[in-house]
Amino acid sequence: MRVENYALQVWQGDLVACLWTTGPLLHTLEKYRVPVAAILRSESGIELAVVQAPRHDQYHIGAIFPKDIYLDEAVTPPSSITVQPAAVPGARKVSSTLLADYHRAFFQMQLNHLGDDLAWAHEAYEPGTVLGPPQRDLADAFARFAAVAPHIIAALRTSDAHPFNTHEKAFLEHMDAAFGQTGSASEDPGATRKIPSVDPLALWLTEGDGLIELARTASRTAPAQTALSLVRAAEPRAVPSPPVQVAASANRR
């Protein structure tokens, strides 16, 4: 936690500019003098702002915009909440309401960005025009997908977030062979990771949309708690460089 002091009301604008929220926190900062705010930061990097409500023994809590992702105005930000000055009930409300909304909004924004990358790739590169190694901007877009896809696949396969039909199960197996985590091997140290027979970059270009849409459907239709497990499982990790075998392949499409 860190504490920010605002000697002048205009300084509150610095906090307002960082907020990714709607509701009472934003209203208070825009309308009232707020001399101090607390910024809470979790180990995963999520940041929340806390200010005392004017003339009330209550606190407004809202989210600060996440780092390393650009704003998607099509996604509704998580609404700020108001809590009483009691630690345990307040923490429960933060976890069950504010953070749940935060994770869902972040996941939706993340899926939208992955979809935007694919739409751009399809428009920018006709079949047969992808080089080996691939063009830098295309390789970067693929790396963003490859960093998140394993967590989406693992969550979809284990969370029961959506009643998958036979075709969807086969599709997940197919995507898992190319992008899945090595977690199954860790459960069985003697297990050998199956080498994908399909070029992952080509698979991303042709079938990446299917995984994105399946994740969207699962997060929309699942019960709240199950959907939250799916969303948390797909939280971002550091974006790696494109895999060597992908960068070395030629003529992807």
Side-chain angles (χ1 to χ4, degrees):
M1 184 192 76
R2 72 178 188 272
V3 175
E4 295 186 348
N5 296 287
Y6 309 122
L8 302 174
Q9 185 170 358
V10 68
W11 292 1
Q12 297 168 203
D14 293 339
L15 178 58
V16 171
C18 296
L19 291 178
W20 187 45
T21 192
T22 59
L25 175 61
L26 190 60
H27 174 76
T28 295
L29 285 167
E30 290 178 339
K31 186 174 181 180
Y32 297 99
R33 169 87 167 89
V34 176
V36 64
I39 309 299
L40 311 180
R41 188 177 191 276
S42 73
E43 292 181 354
S44 64
I46 296 174
E47 290 186 311
L48 305 178
V50 184
V51 303
Q52 187 167 10
R55 300 188 294 274
H56 295 286
D57 192 17
Q58 297 175 323
Y59 293 88
H60 300 317
I61 308 175
I64 292 176
F65 193 80
K67 296 178 175 63
D68 303 323
I69 191 168
Y70 60 89
L71 178 63
D72 184 344
E73 295 182 353
V75 175
T76 302
S79 178
S80 57
I81 61 173
T82 300
V83 301
Q84 302 295 328
V88 173
R92 286 175 179 163
K93 189 171 183 180
V94 167
S95 179
S96 64
T97 302
L98 177 56
L99 289 181
D101 288 345
Y102 180 100
H103 283 293
R104 289 190 185 92
F106 185 92
F107 187 49
Q108 182 183 354
M109 189 160 58
Q110 192 176 49
L111 291 176
N112 288 350
H113 292 342
L114 294 179
D116 290 344
D117 275 346
L118 266 171
W120 163 82
H122 291 157
E123 184 175 340
Y125 294 97
E126 294 293 329
T129 64
V130 179
L131 305 177
Q135 293 88 334
R136 177 63 182 271
D137 52 1
L138 187 66
D140 288 345
F142 171 75
R144 289 190 288 272
F145 179 87
V148 179
H151 308 292
I152 295 176
I153 295 167
L156 287 171
R157 296 189 66 187
T158 61
S159 68
D160 295 325
H162 178 74
F164 299 113
N165 58 38
T166 302
H167 173 74
E168 290 170 335
K169 290 178 181 178
F171 174 73
L172 280 175
E173 290 284 349
H174 183 51
M175 297 298 284
D176 190 32
F179 297 106
Q181 298 169 311
T182 57
S184 57
S186 64
E187 295 172 5
D188 180 4
T192 302
R193 180 72 179 170
K194 184 185 296 185
I195 299 175
S197 57
V198 179
D199 180 352
L201 180 55
L203 187 62
W204 166 62
L205 288 169
T206 57
E207 301 189 49
D209 282 332
L211 181 64
I212 294 168
E213 187 54 39
L214 192 59
R216 284 196 179 112
T217 300
S219 63
R220 284 195 304 262
T221 60
Q225 195 58 40
T226 306
L228 184 57
S229 298
L230 168 66
V231 169
R232 282 179 171 162
E235 285 179 0
R237 307 302 195 270
V239 177
S241 300
V244 174
Q245 70 269 23
V246 173
S249 300
N251 199 14
R252 315 292 172 163
R253 303 179 62 193

